[in-house]
């Protein structure tokens, strides 16, 4: 029997609603092979962001709203340990929220899902980076 969260997942449900909207077939998490070239490439890309967050946390811990709910906390603990990150789970939870926002923006732009509203994504990207930096107590300076 599937859990409630799995049944209601808009991207991977039986109808795959989000995948239909963007014209992409989304694979089930179980279909991803741990250690595959795709998996390693994704981890390497994530770690560029997460290692920077880890360094910022070590220098000056940023505010976290509290511990994530138990199911999320358990999965993030395993993920943190697997990556060898030196971050409290609550800080990783905050960082993942920012990663999702940044990566989501990049994916939507790459799939031309923002063309209806933005002819130039650069200002939105810079605004997102400023918001993320502010949230983790870091002053963002855009490239010159």
């Amino acid at each position: 029997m599937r859990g409630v969260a799995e049944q209601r997942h808009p991207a991977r449900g039986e109808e795959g609603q989000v995948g239909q909207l963007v014209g992409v077939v989304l694979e089930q998490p179980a279909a991803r092979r741990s250690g595959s070239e795709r998996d390693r490439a994704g981890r390497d890309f994530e770690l560029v962001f997460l290692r920077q967050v880890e360094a910022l946390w070590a220098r000056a811990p940023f505010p976290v709203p509290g511990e994530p709910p138990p199911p999320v906390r358990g999965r993030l603990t395993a993920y943190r340990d697997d990556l060898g990150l030196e971050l409290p789970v609550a800080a990783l939870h905050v960082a993942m929220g920012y990663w999702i926002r940044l990566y989501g923006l990049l994916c939507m732009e790459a799939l031309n899902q923002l063309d209806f509203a933005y002819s130039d994504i650069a200002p939105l990207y810079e605004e997102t980076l400023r918001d993320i930096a502010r949230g983790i107590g870091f002053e963002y300076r855009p490239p010159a």
Side-chain angles (χ1 to χ4, degrees), residues 104-121:
L105 176 61
L106 293 172
C107 289
M108 288 186 72
E109 196 269 335
L111 293 170
N112 299 313
Q113 298 298 303
L114 298 171
D115 292 353
F116 69 94
Y118 300 99
S119 59
D120 179 9
I121 199 71

Side-chain angles (χ1 to χ4, degrees), residues 28 43 58 82 93 120 126 142-143:
Q28 299 295 319
R43 291 276 173 112
D82 185 46
H93 186 52
D120 179 9
E126 292 297 325

Side-chain angles (χ1 to χ4, degrees), residues 50 53 57 62 64-81 85-97:
L50 291 174
V53 171
W57 177 268
F62 47 86
V64 295
E67 290 293 323
V72 173
R73 187 172 49 244
R75 181 65 190 115
L76 283 178
T77 299
Y79 178 67
R80 177 200 62 195
D81 294 349
L85 293 171
E86 300 283 333
L87 279 173
V89 173
L92 179 58
H93 186 52
V94 169
M96 290 304 296

Side-chain angles (χ1 to χ4, degrees), residues 3-143:
V4 173
E6 182 182 352
Q7 292 174 12
R8 294 185 183 158
H9 194 293
R12 294 188 302 261
E14 291 187 26
E15 293 82 33
Q17 298 94 336
V18 173
Q20 290 175 8
L21 285 174
V22 297
V24 175
V25 176
L26 301 172
E27 63 186 48
Q28 299 295 319
R32 295 178 73 178
R33 292 181 322 208
S34 181
S36 70
E37 185 176 334
R38 178 181 177 269
D39 184 58
R40 287 191 312 274
R43 291 276 173 112
D44 290 347
F45 187 53
E46 295 164 21
L47 282 170
V48 170
F49 178 77
L50 291 174
R51 291 286 183 214
Q52 293 299 312
V53 171
E54 180 181 49
L56 289 169
W57 177 268
R59 190 178 75 205
F62 47 86
V64 295
E67 290 293 323
V72 173
R73 187 172 49 244
R75 181 65 190 115
L76 283 178
T77 299
Y79 178 67
R80 177 200 62 195
D81 294 349
D82 185 46
L83 293 178
L85 293 171
E86 300 283 333
L87 279 173
V89 173
L92 179 58
H93 186 52
V94 169
M96 290 304 296
Y98 290 134
W99 172 249
I100 290 165
R101 183 172 172 200
L102 181 60
Y103 190 71
L105 176 61
L106 293 172
C107 289
M108 288 186 72
E109 196 269 335
L111 293 170
N112 299 313
Q113 298 298 303
L114 298 171
D115 292 353
F116 69 94
Y118 300 99
S119 59
D120 179 9
I121 199 71
L124 183 58
Y125 183 73
E126 292 297 325
E127 178 184 348
T128 301
L129 291 175
R130 268 193 309 278
D131 289 348
I132 290 170
R134 188 175 330 141
I136 58 177
F138 181 73
E139 181 182 345
Y140 174 71
R141 288 181 294 250

